[in-house]
Amino acid sequence: MSLKHLLEVFLERFPKEQADIFMSLFSGHKTIGKTVQQVAMVLPDFSYEDVTTLWRDLGMQFALFLLRGDSVFKKLVVPINTEKRLSKSASITYQLFNERQNIERIAKRRRLRISTIKEHLLESAILCDNFPYDSLITVEEYEIMTKTFTGDVTNWDYNQLSNRIEFFKYRLFQIERSKKIG
């Protein structure tokens, strides 16, 4: 099975806009991938941080997709199949978060960008059981997203929120709901 076919199968689960963003960042034969900044500039509903978060989130999910499959590409991601799947840096961030430190404080303490801390938390939400989603998503935000989104999480469209909730929280909500039905 070709990598192209595997990407197509994987991306069928996501809204077209997210799949297009993910693929626009790839380089390939006779194709030069766009930078995150170039993508964010042409999408009014996605900030630089949103595109970066989406790229890393879908990249991690694609790696897990390959790991669970039987293609030759599985060998590329076997190193993430360890007892401690979180990267060392994400693990430190998650530990600090579990000590009730907020994102801004963790970023300052670790001398990292807030977007990096959010990426670590998304990685943690994907890979860890019992992630405390409600520590990051308010009751009001849950109400808005619960009313806005029903059915298969892969058919949800972030644009339905009309920028009322940041993309990071939308992705956390989507990850949480996919685990409840998955």
Side-chain angles (χ1 to χ4, degrees):
M1 195 176 291
S2 73
L3 184 59
K4 178 183 176 187
H5 180 72
L6 289 169
L7 279 163
E8 288 170 347
V9 170
F10 168 72
L11 291 172
E12 285 176 352
R13 305 175 352 197
F14 298 94
K16 184 177 180 346
E17 183 175 42
Q18 290 181 21
D20 289 346
I21 292 169
F22 185 66
M23 289 308 301
S24 69
L25 297 164
F26 275 92
S27 292
H29 181 68
K30 295 186 179 181
T31 303
I32 298 173
K34 292 180 173 58
T35 67
V36 171
Q37 190 170 19
Q38 288 171 325
V39 172
M41 285 174 52
V42 298
L43 296 170
D45 293 331
F46 286 84
S47 68
Y48 177 90
E49 182 179 289
D50 293 339
V51 174
T52 301
T53 299
L54 178 70
W55 167 253
R56 292 198 175 153
D57 178 21
L58 291 185
M60 175 61 92
Q61 288 189 56
F62 184 59
L64 291 172
F65 172 82
L66 292 174
L67 188 61
R68 292 179 181 136
D70 60 358
S71 76
V72 298
F73 299 103
K74 181 177 184 173
K75 293 177 186 174
L76 297 173
V77 293
V78 166
I80 70 165
N81 190 24
T82 63
E83 281 188 26
K84 293 186 176 185
R85 289 184 181 176
L86 284 178
S87 67
K88 183 177 179 181
S89 188
S91 183
I92 293 167
T93 295
Y94 190 51
Q95 180 181 351
L96 293 171
F97 179 73
N98 282 326
E99 292 171 3
R100 306 281 187 242
Q101 293 190 33
N102 67 33
I103 291 172
E104 292 78 15
R105 188 172 190 184
I106 296 169
K108 187 174 183 178
R109 181 174 175 180
R110 298 207 55 218
R111 293 187 177 110
L112 297 171
R113 294 184 325 215
I114 288 174
S115 62
T116 302
I117 300 305
K118 288 179 178 180
E119 291 159 14
H120 289 168
L121 293 174
L122 285 172
E123 180 181 339
S124 300
I126 291 168
L127 297 174
C128 298
D129 296 328
N130 302 316
F131 184 88
Y133 299 94
D134 58 352
S135 296
L136 293 164
I137 303 171
T138 67
V139 171
E140 295 80 17
E141 291 166 334
Y142 266 116
E143 286 176 10
I144 291 168
M145 289 189 284
T146 301
K147 288 178 183 175
T148 304
F149 301 112
T150 58
D152 185 357
V153 297
T154 62
N155 294 326
W156 294 357
D157 183 357
Y158 172 68
N159 292 320
Q160 289 177 264
L161 291 173
S162 303
N163 293 322
R164 291 180 290 169
I165 296 173
E166 70 174 299
F167 186 75
F168 167 69
K169 292 183 179 191
Y170 162 75
R171 283 300 298 139
L172 283 173
F173 182 74
Q174 196 176 37
I175 292 164
E176 178 186 31
R177 295 303 157 113
S178 69
K179 283 185 168 185
K180 286 184 178 180
I181 61 171

